Structures are given as structure tokens and as C-alpha cells.
Amino acid sequence: MDNETTNYAIKLDIFEGPLDLLLYLIKKNEIDIYNIPVALITEQYLQYLKIIKSLNLDLAGEYLVMASTLIHIKSRMLLPVPEEPSEEGAEEDPRAELIKQLLEYQSFKEAAADLGKRPLLERDVFTRSAPITDEVDKSAENDDELMEVSIFELIEAFHRLVSRIDKKDLLEIDMEKMSITDIINDVMERLTREKNLTFEELLGERIDRRRIIYTFLAILELIKLKMVKAYQTSAFGVIRIFPAVES
Amino acid sequence: MENIKAIIEALILAAEAPLALDKICVVLDEAEKTEVKNALDRLITEYDERQSGICLQEVAGGFQFRTRSELSCWVKKLKGTKPASLSPAALETLAIVAYRQPIVKMEIESIRGVDVSAPLRGLLDKKLIRIVGRKDVPGKPIIYGTTKKFLEVFNLKDLSELPNLRELKELNEQQETIQEFYE
Amino acid sequence: MENIKAIIEALILAAEAPLALDKICVVLDEAEKTEVKNALDRLITEYDERQSGICLQEVAGGFQFRTRSELSCWVKKLKGTKPASLSPAALETLAIVAYRQPIVKMEIESIRGVDVSAPLRGLLDKKLIRIVGRKDVPGKPIIYGTTKKFLEVFNLKDLSELPNLRELKELNEQQETIQEFYE
């Protein structure tokens, strides 16, 4: 048993998760993945978990979830198969879902291995890395081209800033505000073109509840920011929105 | 254009990234696209036939000079440093993103059966994957996809060059097996 | 060493700076210096005779592939179409505008802690931000917001698709927890 324990211990950290551990057990026992003897596999699986616990290692929750799944399948397998097949044809194998998951995971595991075997840049193949410092004029850069920046770099930049100045409120960004901001930009763009607009005109043709509420909130926000002014010719008259400052 | 092959060669060497056919055509505005393509093909063959240490490869939607992979040990000896390699967790996560993109974190986790925050973050840092957008479902989860750099690093022309996953075929076979088993 | 020429070719392409003869000899430790020198000379001649767009040149005490100087006009034309990238200052300013718009310059400066005139101008030039209007307060400061082009460049349907900072933070935190677990 001691010998066994060390064997298990060595292999613990090489598993990528419960599915990986199951695949390992299936392979070790030379089992057909389409016809898993659930009782055997469950027993071995639980054995592993015990060892992990005995080594005082924290067990990721996912391993426990899988354990209960296995036990559940095992108990379902013990139920007698109904003699008359149900109307929908064959009764579903209690293992079907797990098998599907294992096959899917296995195929990605193989795909990952295949990826890792490709000739990788900076590992197997290399490109020119020295700068070509020809007489090429560097000022000839054209700014109108698309920029190669990812959204991730943008958010990283903002994150950097926030962590530097530690202003908690900067972190609060809610989706609703961003949707309103879209409309604010839209409203301001149209106001510069048209000089003034009524609320209905601002809504345009896209009249849905969300749009009406957001447009209304956007105008309130714009008034608060002192970017627009709202005028009314008479009580209950049409409200016209003007840019607060002529551009 | 007489020396079109030479010009293309120079352009590809000078470019900072794999150079797209279209871009070459923009620079060589007087040449026909087929003419450029032919010159490229001839260049590729010539480098191959000459058994040069360099080869011209189509990768990430463009053309680039790369050292021949058989010579990697020599180049590694020159560079000295050992390149950081991807962990199995990162590779698995990357494979799932590559094949299943656009994909959200939860879907990756349901395939791998474990939390993928750490490998996702590492792949983003390495710029192998990127945030493509958000899914229009409650919570607006982030959608991930692979980058051009992914194609460059893994020596792929485009995503269609990824080998087919075995999964689908096997899944069908499996269903038949189970059916037979119960019949 | 049979393919010494090919190895040298690969080494020179991959080197970060002009590659010195001595350095090549260190890597090819079984080859004689004269042998290496001969291979180099042959390579230089071959590239010349082939009228390739690339030439192997001895510069700054080493060997390097360069584009042939007669072709420099083409290379310049290519570099002219090179996508511009954003400086860190521009990126930070853009991030603040994106997440905090509509916003005036003073507010951006209070976040960044430095003058942002230059990056703002750059972003306006690149059409990533625009003047949304003016605020009706003393000084009538200009209000900035992002443009449609901003959405295009960053592949966003609308601003609500911008990643939530909390999500990024969560990714970070989860990673830290996992790292602690393994340490």
C-alpha cells in the first residue's frame, strides 16, 4: 500500500482536473471509454481523493463534484433495466453524459498536444529579430491606418491607472451607464448637425421601451453636465433640446 | 515589373510581421495580383530547392522568412535562453478557444472541468487570445477568440489549417455503440 | 559539417544584431574558422548573383541580412502603410475617455496626474476621440467622447461591450489565489 501511495502522490499534480484523472484511470485499466465499469472507476477515483486528503493538499471543488457524479451514476447503474424498452426506444445509458464529456475533453487534450508539437515560433523556428535600420524614413508614418491595439491593452491601461491612483469609485463601471453614454454621444452628434431637436426627434425610429428610458436618462445626464439646455415654449408644449454652447 | 521577385523578397524581409499578399499588391500597385502570387510561389520553391537555412512561409495570413525548423538546435544555441513554454493547462485552454471560438469562460470550464481563470489570463498576457466582445446574455460575459499572434506562434496560415477534431466522428460512433448495447 | 551554409543563414536571420564571425564559430564549435568564413563568402556571392532583393552584408563587426539599397523606395512605401500604434500615454488617455466619457480635459488630467494635451491631440487626429460639445460652465471646456472608429478599431458593437474592470480584477484575483495554492 505504501508503494501504491507514493505512486499516486507522484502523479497528483500532473492531472489537469477530474476529467483528466478519469481519463488516466481509464487508460491505466485499459478500459473501453464507451463502456466504463463505473463501480471500478469510482472506487479508484475515490482512492485518489483520499490520498490527496491524507497529504493535506487542498482539493479543488471540481474533484468532489465529479466524485458525487460518479456515485450517482453508479447507483443508477444498479437499477434494473426495464424489460420493455420505453416508447422513445433505448433507455439512455446513465453514463452517456459523462462519456460525452470525457470524449470531448479527450479530443481537446489531443488537440492541445498536437498544437504543442507544431514548430513553434521562438522555440523551433525564428524570424528576423534585428531591426532593419536602413535609411527608411521613420517620419513617414501614416496615422490614418488602423491601429494594432487590442481592447485588452486598453482595459489594461485603465486598470494600471486605477491601481496607481487607487480611486475605488473609478472601478465602478456599470453597463447601463455605458449604454447611456452611447446615446449621449449620438445625441450630441445630432445636435451639432441639427442645432436643436425635440425628444421625439431624438428617439428617431427606434422606439422601444429601453431606448426611450435611456434617451431620457441621457438627456437628464447631459443637462446635469451642462452640455445641453432644454427649452419649452409653453406649459405642456414641445420640449426642444439645444446644445448649451454653440460650437 | 522586371525585378518583382526581388522587391517582394525585400518587402518581406523588412516587414515587422507576416506580410499579406494584399499589402504587397498595394505597394506594387502596378503589378497584377496573380503576378505577385506567382512570384511568391517561385520564391518559396527557390528557397526550398536551394536547401537554404531560411524558408519563406505563409503564416497568419501573410508571408514571412523563418529559419528552417530542422536547424532549431543551432539557433537555440545562439540565443542561449530557453523560451518560456506553455503549461498543459494553458495549451488545453488555448486549444478549446481556438476550435470553439468565439467562446465564453464558462463554456471552456465546462469542457475542461476546472476553473480556467489563470490560464486565460496567461494567454491574454501572451497575446495568444483576446477579448472579442461580450455575449448578449444576462451578465454579458466576455467572449474570447485567438489572435493573429496565435497563428504566427503556431505556424498556421489561418484557422482553417487547424486539424479537425476527432470528437464528432467518435461521438456518433459512441451513440451507435450504446444503442447496440441496449438492443 | 555539410549544411554549414544553411546553418549560418539561419543564425544570421535569427540574430538580434549583426552576427560576428567569432560568435558563429562558437555556435558551430566543430567547424574551423576558415571553413565558416568560406561559407559566409559563398553565401554573400550567392545572394548577389541571384539578384535577390536581400543581401548579406558585413556591418558593425558582424553579418546581417538587409534589403538591397536600390529597392529602398519600395521598402519606404511599405513602411509608410505601417499601422500606427498607440503610445502608453495615448492608450491611457483613451482608456479614461472611453470609460469616463463625456469628460473634459481637466478631469482626465486629474486622473492621469499629467498634462494630456499631446495625447488628446493625437487621439483626435487618429479619429479615436472627438469633441462631443462644450460644457456650460466658466471657460466652456471642451467635452470629449469616443468615436465610431474607436468602436471599429477595438471591435466593439457598442460601448456597453467594453470589458468591465471588475471582471479583469476577478481574473487577477483568481489567478493569485491559485498561485498561492501552488506555492
Side-chain angles (χ1 to χ4, degrees):
Chain A
M1 182 63 208
D2 268 342
N3 195 15
E4 273 284 276
T5 312
T6 41
N7 269 341
Y8 283 131
I10 288 160
K11 294 202 172 77
L12 278 178
D13 60 337
I14 64 163
F15 296 119
E16 291 298 327
L19 291 170
D20 199 22
L21 172 52
L22 279 179
L23 281 182
Y24 166 76
L25 293 177
I26 287 165
K27 207 172 148 198
K28 195 182 105 179
N29 292 290
E30 294 175 355
I31 289 167
D32 177 9
I33 195 165
Y34 301 102
N35 191 12
I36 300 170
V38 182
L40 174 78
I41 289 296
T42 305
E43 190 196 324
Q44 294 195 359
Y45 184 89
L46 293 176
Q47 186 90 44
Y48 265 90
L49 298 202
K50 241 188 229 159
I51 290 153
I52 299 177
K53 270 195 191 144
S54 72
L55 291 171
N56 278 328
L57 290 175
D58 262 334
L59 195 56
E62 295 99 349
Y63 282 93
L64 297 175
V65 173
M66 179 58 76
S68 67
T69 306
L70 286 172
I71 293 165
H72 179 69
I73 294 173
K74 193 174 114 183
S75 64
R76 274 184 65 197
M77 298 285 288
L78 293 175
L79 296 175
V81 179
E83 289 191 7
E84 280 175 43
S86 61
E87 278 172 29
E88 291 103 49
E91 192 76 12
E92 210 200 345
D93 189 321
R95 301 168 297 184
E97 185 56 35
L98 181 65
I99 291 172
K100 200 180 136 215
Q101 230 185 327
L102 280 170
L103 282 174
E104 191 177 37
Y105 176 66
Q106 183 178 251
S107 66
F108 280 111
K109 203 174 150 63
E110 281 167 11
D114 288 345
L115 272 183
K117 275 186 229 142
R118 295 189 63 83
L120 293 197
L121 190 63
E122 296 295 313
R123 187 187 72 184
D124 309 304
V125 296
F126 301 82
T127 64
R128 170 181 69 78
S129 48
I132 290 209
T133 47
D134 275 0
E135 331 77 53
V136 174
D137 189 3
K138 279 200 179 120
S139 65
E141 275 180 24
N142 186 342
D143 284 345
D144 255 3
E145 281 293 309
L146 275 192
M147 266 130 296
E148 284 185 332
V149 197
S150 76
I151 189 72
F152 189 65
E153 287 170 83
L154 184 74
I155 189 178
E156 273 284 346
F158 197 51
H159 189 243
R160 242 186 353 253
L161 274 171
V162 170
S163 43
R164 204 162 65 211
I165 58 177
D166 194 35
K167 275 191 187 166
K168 288 279 180 290
D169 62 314
L170 272 173
L171 270 173
E172 302 306 323
I173 282 156
D174 74 64
M175 231 74 91
E176 212 162 76
K177 175 169 185 299
M178 295 323 281
S179 301
I180 294 170
T181 310
D182 270 323
I183 295 177
I184 286 180
N185 281 347
D186 191 43
V187 167
M188 288 310 291
E189 193 176 340
R190 292 184 52 202
L191 276 178
T192 16
R193 245 186 359 245
E194 321 253 342
K195 300 304 174 209
N196 71 78
L197 288 163
T198 66
F199 187 65
E200 284 76 15
E201 282 168 339
L202 278 172
L203 280 177
E205 300 186 351
R206 296 165 51 199
I207 306 181
D208 59 71
R209 216 178 112 86
R210 217 174 102 111
R211 176 82 186 176
I212 293 171
I213 293 170
Y214 279 9
T215 306
F216 184 65
L217 290 174
I219 290 170
L220 287 184
E221 182 78 11
L222 282 168
I223 292 171
K224 201 180 85 192
L225 289 167
K226 296 190 192 304
M227 287 167 69
V228 302
K229 284 175 180 158
Y231 291 106
Q232 201 173 19
T233 44
S234 60
F236 308 110
V238 177
I239 297 174
R240 286 200 166 270
I241 318 288
F242 291 82
V245 179
E246 287 293 327
S247 47
Chain B
M1 219 171 291
E2 215 171 300
N3 53 349
I4 181 166
K5 226 174 56 188
I7 298 173
I8 294 173
E9 219 176 344
L11 292 179
I12 293 173
L13 182 77
E16 300 298 323
L19 191 60
L21 174 61
D22 286 344
K23 197 127 182 207
I24 302 175
C25 292
V26 170
V27 177
L28 299 175
D29 48 7
E30 279 166 44
E32 291 290 322
K33 198 166 173 172
T34 50
E35 199 183 344
V36 175
K37 187 78 189 69
N38 284 338
L40 272 166
D41 287 341
R42 263 180 296 142
L43 269 174
I44 292 174
T45 321
E46 280 173 26
Y47 273 88
D48 276 346
E49 283 174 352
R50 195 191 310 143
Q51 301 212 291
S52 158
I54 298 173
C55 56
L56 181 53
Q57 270 197 336
E58 191 174 353
V59 63
F63 294 84
Q64 190 173 45
F65 285 115
R66 297 193 156 198
T67 60
R68 217 169 274 283
S69 58
E70 303 92 86
L71 304 175
S72 68
C73 58
W74 299 102
V75 182
K76 266 185 241 173
K77 204 169 159 196
L78 172 76
K79 297 233 167 190
T81 50
K82 220 177 144 226
S85 68
L86 290 170
S87 69
L91 261 181
E92 279 180 21
T93 308
L94 182 60
I96 295 169
V97 175
Y99 280 94
R100 282 290 158 82
Q101 62 190 313
I103 190 170
V104 302
K105 188 175 160 217
M106 226 179 59
E107 293 166 327
I108 307 171
E109 287 178 341
S110 92
I111 295 175
R112 285 202 60 220
V114 290
D115 178 75
V116 296
S117 305
L120 267 187
R121 174 74 208 187
L123 292 169
L124 281 168
D125 281 347
K126 292 196 167 77
K127 295 194 170 51
L128 293 172
I129 63 170
R130 66 191 182 96
I131 293 169
V132 180
R134 292 172 160 282
K135 203 165 174 170
D136 203 9
V137 295
K140 292 219 173 186
I142 292 177
I143 306 169
Y144 298 94
T146 52
T147 58
K148 218 175 197 174
K149 194 181 166 197
F150 163 73
L151 297 174
E152 281 179 45
V153 169
F154 285 88
N155 242 29
L156 294 159
K157 254 189 251 186
D158 50 48
L159 286 173
S160 70
E161 233 203 338
L162 281 171
N164 280 334
L165 276 186
R166 243 183 285 174
E167 169 199 18
L168 278 179
K169 206 184 102 216
E170 288 199 357
L171 267 183
N172 291 336
E173 280 168 12
Q174 165 227 348
Q175 248 139 27
E176 279 157 29
T177 321
I178 289 171
Q179 218 108 42
E180 277 161 29
F181 177 74
Y182 272 88
E183 268 158 22
Chain C
M1 218 171 291
E2 215 170 302
N3 54 349
I4 181 166
K5 228 174 49 185
I7 297 172
I8 295 174
E9 223 174 342
L11 292 179
I12 293 174
L13 182 77
E16 259 126 70
L19 192 60
L21 175 61
D22 285 346
K23 195 125 181 215
I24 302 176
C25 291
V26 171
V27 177
L28 300 175
D29 49 5
E30 280 168 41
E32 291 291 322
K33 195 165 175 173
T34 50
E35 200 182 344
V36 174
K37 186 78 190 70
N38 282 340
L40 270 168
D41 287 340
R42 261 181 298 143
L43 268 175
I44 293 173
T45 322
E46 280 173 24
Y47 273 90
D48 278 345
E49 283 174 355
R50 195 192 311 143
Q51 301 216 290
S52 157
I54 298 173
C55 57
L56 182 52
Q57 274 188 344
E58 194 171 354
V59 280
F63 293 86
Q64 189 171 44
F65 285 115
R66 303 203 144 196
T67 58
R68 213 169 278 283
S69 56
E70 305 91 88
L71 304 175
S72 69
C73 60
W74 299 102
V75 178
K76 260 183 225 170
K77 204 170 158 195
L78 173 76
K79 297 276 171 173
T81 63
K82 190 185 145 196
S85 76
L86 290 174
S87 68
L91 200 60
E92 283 187 10
T93 307
L94 181 60
I96 296 169
V97 175
Y99 281 98
R100 285 278 158 252
Q101 61 187 310
I103 192 169
V104 301
K105 190 178 156 207
M106 226 179 57
E107 292 166 325
I108 307 173
E109 286 177 342
S110 89
I111 296 175
R112 281 205 64 218
V114 288
D115 178 72
V116 295
S117 310
L120 268 186
R121 211 173 318 119
L123 292 169
L124 281 168
D125 285 348
K126 291 194 168 80
K127 296 192 173 56
L128 290 173
I129 63 170
R130 65 196 181 88
I131 294 169
V132 180
R134 281 174 176 278
K135 207 166 176 165
D136 194 15
V137 294
K140 310 248 186 273
I142 292 173
I143 301 163
Y144 298 94
T146 51
T147 59
K148 256 197 196 117
K149 192 179 166 196
F150 165 78
L151 296 177
E152 279 166 24
V153 168
F154 288 95
N155 217 359
L156 298 164
K157 252 196 295 190
D158 51 49
L159 288 172
S160 68
E161 277 204 343
L162 270 175
N164 194 321
L165 283 175
R166 203 174 298 123
E167 285 164 323
L168 188 77
K169 242 182 113 204
E170 274 165 19
L171 275 180
N172 275 328
E173 275 161 12
Q174 265 158 341
Q175 189 194 21
E176 275 155 29
T177 323
I178 288 164
Q179 239 146 23
E180 275 161 29
F181 172 74
Y182 278 98
E183 270 159 20

